[in-house]
Amino acid sequence: MIEGNRREFEDKDNMNRIRKITDQCDDKVAAKGSSSSQGPNEIFYHEIAHLTKLRSRPHELLSKDMPGRSRLPVSTMKMLVGRECNYSGRGRFSSADSCHVLSRYLPVNGPCTVDQLDSGIYVSRFSDDGTLFVAGCQGSHIRIYNVDNGWKVKKDILAKSLRWTITDACLSPNQRYLVYASLSPVVHIVNVESAATESLANVSEIHDGLSFSSNNDDYDDLRIFSVKFSTDGRELVAASSDNSIYIYDLEANSCSLRVPAHKSDVNTVCFGDEAGHLLYSGSDDSLCKVWDRRCFISKGKAAGVLMGHLEGITFIDSRGDGRYFISNGKDQTTKLWDIRKMSSNAKDTPKRRYSDWDYRWDEYPPHAKTLKHPRDQSVITYRGHSILCTLIRCYFSPEYSTGQKYIYTGSSDCSVYIYDLVSGALVATLDHHEGLVRDCSWHPLYPMLVSSSWDCAIARWEFP
């Protein structure tokens, strides 16, 4: 009975704090609303700040702010003292308290070399729980490292039927399987939990092939640029060179759906929410599109279109809330999007300004960096890094340790860039590599970031 009353009191306390924060946010938005210069982006800007703050706001009793000083950063030492004195009545930090502390300690020190491979690295990702790390390189090799065991190699995979490079690799949610894609219509799947450390395709182990092509005439032309597991691990979603999105049913072992999605190569696709209903796609036609799988049969078209990039889109990462996502574009920008601002069509999309420019070997025209889309629907634009030569990737920072306060991206100038999500300010640049950084990954729990480069090196950055 006492425990139930205590929980009820805590719930009411949390709700009161949320209402107080909401009222403060609404007051600020209302105050700005009196200015004629306020646009729709200002409202979304404050909403993003509000949501990010809620995920990482310290407990008011632990922070013990003095009157008139509530806007100053809360001291970690003050929070620790408050916890030891049990000011909050919980005897511990909440997840928001922990997040508030951890988000200050960016992984910018180092780096320490994890490994040196024999060719340029295209893909590198931590598993969802951070215990494994996957690195895939152009020279047909994929290595899976056991992070908790001193970065010992758990699996050394020699890929099969490789065309040019491994374009993507993804671990299943239960971490038992790995899929890898290349510039071919077949995605291969490997059993990560098998006993063998070395996995040579169809020599020491079978790498089952999952074909995404049903038309033999176009078989050799189809290329897969991106592949992702669904949250339940039952499906794969893939982006392809035939302007389409594919969904593969792993239980039925067949491609269950093909969606003609764009007017050019689809470079990236991902799930937008935990339920797997929403999909976000990005293409060389410079458009981001939102797809609702519940409407595929009845509508057969995108739920909405988002315009803003002036060149093709290289990568999309979802915030996981079914509302916000970010995209990297060949116009040398990263953009934050809110799907509630999407349009029903993109008939007025301007044509490419530089039809003879190719990002794979040309520098982006300097004067073009200041150009803006006349109907830009993005919430915030981040500039500073460069997106040339390959499909460079960008991500939200982890929710657990940072409240997704930051976004980070690789860059063709051999660095990793970290931006503040709300203000757009550059907060850190990680300089070490001698080659382009195509991919990088922030540990989901700890202040640790791993960058991988075309200089064949995997580097680990941490807080000291």
Side-chain angles (χ1 to χ4, degrees):
M1 183 69 178
I2 296 175
E3 178 66 20
N5 291 335
R6 187 178 67 82
R7 289 182 179 177
E8 182 180 357
F9 175 79
E10 287 184 356
D11 291 340
K12 289 182 179 179
D13 180 54
N14 290 336
M15 288 304 298
N16 289 333
R17 289 197 301 116
I18 291 175
R19 289 194 188 99
K20 182 177 179 182
I21 298 168
T22 303
D23 292 340
Q24 292 173 351
C25 184
D26 290 342
D27 290 342
K28 291 179 181 178
V29 174
K32 288 201 171 186
S34 61
S35 172
S36 59
S37 62
Q38 183 192 23
N41 281 357
E42 285 293 321
I43 299 174
F44 289 110
Y45 177 93
H46 286 291
E47 182 177 2
I48 296 166
H50 172 59
L51 292 174
T52 303
K53 192 174 184 179
L54 281 180
R55 295 188 181 195
S56 61
R57 183 177 176 85
H59 196 285
E60 291 178 353
L61 296 176
L62 285 180
S63 59
K64 284 288 183 180
D65 287 330
M66 297 296 292
R69 302 184 61 184
S70 58
R71 292 186 179 183
L72 295 177
V74 179
S75 161
T76 301
M77 182 61 68
K78 184 184 293 186
M79 291 182 65
L80 289 171
V81 171
R83 186 187 66 178
E84 294 305 309
C85 295
N86 197 19
Y87 286 157
S88 67
R90 297 180 178 182
R92 58 179 174 79
F93 276 164
S94 68
S95 59
D97 296 330
S98 301
C99 178
H100 178 80
V101 174
L102 288 172
S103 64
R104 297 183 178 192
Y105 304 109
L106 297 178
V108 296
N109 291 81
C112 173
T113 300
V114 173
D115 204 351
Q116 188 78 29
L117 302 182
D118 56 3
S119 61
I121 303 166
Y122 275 68
V123 182
S124 60
R125 293 303 298 158
F126 279 107
S127 60
D128 291 340
D129 63 0
T131 60
L132 300 179
F133 181 82
V134 178
C137 61
Q138 185 178 2
S140 305
H141 269 93
I142 303 172
R143 282 187 178 171
I144 302 177
Y145 301 86
N146 190 326
V147 177
D148 294 338
N149 191 22
W151 292 83
K152 183 179 179 181
V153 176
K154 175 183 176 69
K155 202 82 171 177
D156 195 352
I157 300 168
L158 181 63
K160 176 180 172 56
S161 301
L162 190 67
R163 289 187 182 177
W164 178 247
T165 184
I166 292 167
T167 54
D168 204 359
C170 183
L171 279 169
S172 62
N174 61 10
Q175 301 178 25
R176 294 185 59 188
Y177 298 98
L178 174 89
V179 293
Y180 61 87
S182 180
L183 298 179
S184 74
V186 179
V187 169
H188 290 89
I189 187 167
V190 184
N191 184 357
V192 175
E193 294 297 325
S194 62
T197 301
E198 292 191 3
S199 179
L200 307 181
N202 296 349
V203 176
S204 62
E205 286 188 331
I206 299 297
H207 294 191
D208 290 328
L210 314 176
S211 178
F212 282 78
S213 176
S214 58
N215 189 341
N216 291 330
D217 295 335
D218 298 333
Y219 187 85
D220 291 334
D221 296 329
L222 184 65
R223 300 181 296 278
I224 302 295
F225 297 119
S226 173
V227 62
K228 297 288 183 295
F229 273 99
S230 61
T231 307
D232 59 12
R234 296 179 179 179
E235 293 178 316
L236 297 173
V237 61
S240 71
S241 62
D242 67 347
N243 312 343
S244 301
I245 298 171
Y246 287 87
I247 295 179
Y248 194 97
D249 188 325
L250 291 170
E251 293 183 347
N253 196 27
S254 65
C255 189
S256 59
L257 186 64
R258 173 182 176 266
V259 182
H262 291 267
K263 295 181 179 180
S264 189
D265 289 353
V266 183
N267 295 322
T268 176
V269 65
C270 68
F271 288 96
D273 58 354
E274 290 292 325
H277 295 313
L278 292 180
L279 295 173
Y280 304 141
S281 64
S283 166
D284 276 338
D285 63 10
S286 77
L287 297 177
C288 296
K289 291 190 177 183
V290 180
W291 305 86
D292 191 332
R293 297 182 60 191
R294 294 164 292 190
C295 302
F296 275 161
I297 297 177
S298 60
K299 293 175 60 177
K301 64 178 184 179
V305 179
L306 288 158
M307 299 172 286
H309 281 294
L310 296 171
E311 299 289 343
I313 294 158
T314 65
F315 196 74
I316 284 177
D317 185 43
S318 170
R319 200 164 188 246
D321 55 7
R323 181 177 297 176
Y324 295 104
F325 66 93
I326 56 173
S327 62
N328 256 0
K330 298 175 185 178
D331 56 2
Q332 314 304 297
T333 66
T334 299
K335 288 182 177 290
L336 173 69
W337 306 91
D338 185 330
I339 69 171
R340 294 171 298 178
K341 297 182 69 176
M342 63 189 180
S343 304
S344 58
N345 58 65
K347 293 181 179 180
D348 298 329
T349 303
K351 295 181 180 179
R352 287 189 60 194
R353 295 177 181 268
Y354 305 98
S355 57
D356 58 342
W357 174 76
D358 194 319
Y359 86 115
R360 290 174 293 180
W361 33 73
D362 296 334
E363 290 293 328
Y364 196 62
H367 59 280
K369 294 181 179 180
T370 59
L371 297 176
K372 295 183 179 180
H373 195 291
R375 288 166 292 278
D376 190 353
Q377 296 170 297
S378 64
V379 180
I380 303 175
T381 299
Y382 310 85
R383 302 176 186 272
H385 56 293
S386 58
I387 304 169
L388 300 170
C389 303
T390 186
L391 303 178
I392 291 176
R393 302 182 163 197
C394 59
Y395 302 96
F396 287 96
S397 64
E399 179 178 356
Y400 174 83
S401 59
T402 70
Q404 296 179 311
K405 285 185 175 182
Y406 310 102
I407 66 167
Y408 62 104
T409 176
S411 178
S412 57
D413 63 4
C414 313
S415 302
V416 176
Y417 287 73
I418 303 175
Y419 297 94
D420 184 277
L421 174 68
V422 176
S423 69
L426 178 66
V427 297
T429 305
L430 310 184
D431 299 315
H432 166 70
H433 292 285
E434 298 179 357
L436 175 152
V437 178
R438 185 181 190 266
D439 207 355
C440 46
S441 185
W442 198 314
H443 194 283
L445 305 178
Y446 307 129
M448 176 196 302
L449 188 147
V450 175
S451 57
S452 57
S453 169
W454 281 11
D455 64 5
C456 312
I458 303 173
R460 185 173 79 244
W461 305 79
E462 295 178 285
F463 185 82

